[in-house]
Amino acid sequence: MQIVRQLDPLRDALAEFRKAGLKIGLVPTMGALHAGHMRLVEVAREQCDAVVASIFVNPTQFGEGEDLDAYPRQEVADAALLDAAGVELLWAPTADQMYPSGYATSVSVTGISDGLCGAARPGHFDGVATVVAKLFNQVRPDAAYFGEKDYQQLAVIRRMARDLDFTHDIVGVPTVRDPDGLALSSRNAYLTAEQRANAVALPEAMREAATAIADGGKVAAILEAAKARILASGFHKIDYLELRDANTLALLDVFTKPARLFAAAHIGPTRLIDNIPLS
Ligand code: PAF
């Protein structure tokens, strides 16, 4: 696997892939790779001839007081995993390749970015949309792969790609979970053993609430009960637990298909997010 940190050699390597007629799949990440990321790589490998993974801990998507400095960085271990998974090229740009001195441009996707994590983390999705637009321009993939765990991010990226005329496929890959149901996340590494044991209350309460809502129960009452259960299980703050339209992300107070349940909650210093479909 080639590891490339500068734009010129990246373009040279990609030109070789294109000359060979290879379909290029891009898996953007911020590193600290887990089985969820590796599933993205696996799907990309099934659908493409050459897989490019990127690792860049993007400062513009972290707000003040968030975990930019603490975010786990383990490039050597990540590179070994990607290599073993058959990735052809790791794009690990330096910060100045991504944001050169005088950098002044931002991509902002309004509407779909406003609620959920957009409300709790102002500016976050501008940072995501900006860096992903740059990655799309840098790599010009035939398909790009994102986890449904960050479902609002996926919706923002789909809208950004449509609005800015990126024509490649944007592929959403279902969330990978630990056997007890906790969604895999690089931030799970922050959890103590006790917090990790308690964290399972989040997907459990969500699953129960989703079933009760799909069975015709009152949405508001069910969500209140689920919040109480989460707060009684070691979480100290809930940013949101909401039922939303799965396509538009519009808030739903009555169950209509397609719908998803979205949650973000804090346990110790760690903020966990999750979402599940209602059937
Ligand atoms: O999901 C992530 O890891 C990041 O938000 C992404 C898409 C790589 C952009 O920095």
Side-chain angles (χ1 to χ4, degrees), residues 221-242:
I222 291 167
L223 294 184
E224 278 318 304
K227 281 182 188 171
R229 176 171 172 197
I230 293 164
L231 290 172
S233 310
F235 286 83
H236 62 273
K237 185 179 165 206
I238 297 175
D239 286 343
Y240 56 78
L241 176 63
E242 292 174 353

Side-chain angles (χ1 to χ4, degrees), residues 28-30 37 56 58 61 128 131-132 135 146 150 153 157:
T29 82
M30 296 204 301
H37 298 108
F56 180 67
N58 174 36
Q61 69 188 76
V128 170
V131 81
V132 171
L135 289 166
F146 297 90
D150 296 298
Q153 166 173 284
I157 291 167

Side-chain angles (χ1 to χ4, degrees), residues 26-244:
L26 171 66
V27 179
T29 82
M30 296 204 301
L33 302 180
H34 51 64
H37 298 108
M38 300 320 289
R39 178 69 193 137
L40 302 183
V41 170
E42 198 178 28
V43 176
R45 275 185 54 77
E46 281 162 18
Q47 299 183 356
C48 300
D49 306 309
V51 177
V52 175
S54 66
I55 296 182
F56 180 67
V57 182
N58 174 36
T60 66
Q61 69 188 76
F62 289 80
E64 218 160 287
E66 290 189 352
D67 57 342
L68 173 61
D69 293 337
Y71 200 83
R73 288 160 172 88
Q74 46 182 60
E75 196 194 290
V76 173
D78 288 345
L81 281 175
L82 294 169
D83 192 20
V87 167
E88 271 73 16
L89 189 150
L90 170 57
W91 171 224
T94 56
D96 69 306
Q97 289 289 287
M98 205 49 111
Y99 298 115
S101 156
Y103 186 89
T105 302
S106 172
V107 178
S108 189
V109 184
T110 58
I112 207 147
S113 292
D114 293 346
L116 300 169
C117 285
R121 304 180 67 190
H124 168 67
F125 286 119
D126 290 359
V128 170
T130 302
V131 81
V132 171
K134 286 176 66 68
L135 289 166
F136 286 177
N137 278 323
Q138 291 163 349
V139 176
R140 293 192 289 118
D142 297 289
Y145 296 82
F146 297 90
E148 286 187 348
K149 150 93 176 8
D150 296 298
Y151 195 88
Q152 187 181 19
Q153 166 173 284
L154 176 60
V156 167
I157 291 167
R158 285 193 197 284
R159 184 65 53 88
M160 182 272 290
R162 191 201 67 179
D163 290 354
L164 296 185
D165 306 312
F166 289 104
T167 53
H168 61 267
D169 294 334
I170 310 283
V171 182
V173 177
T175 304
V176 178
R177 296 176 182 278
D178 272 336
D180 67 356
L182 186 69
L184 296 191
S185 163
S186 303
R187 290 189 168 97
N188 292 356
Y190 299 153
L191 300 172
T192 64
E194 189 189 355
Q195 289 163 354
R196 172 62 190 81
N198 288 336
V200 71
L202 183 66
E204 278 175 4
M206 290 176 73
R207 266 202 316 272
E208 265 186 35
T211 305
I213 291 169
D215 285 348
K218 288 239 177 320
V219 173
I222 291 167
L223 294 184
E224 278 318 304
K227 281 182 188 171
R229 176 171 172 197
I230 293 164
L231 290 172
S233 310
F235 286 83
H236 62 273
K237 185 179 165 206
I238 297 175
D239 286 343
Y240 56 78
L241 176 63
E242 292 174 353
L243 185 69
R244 296 216 169 216

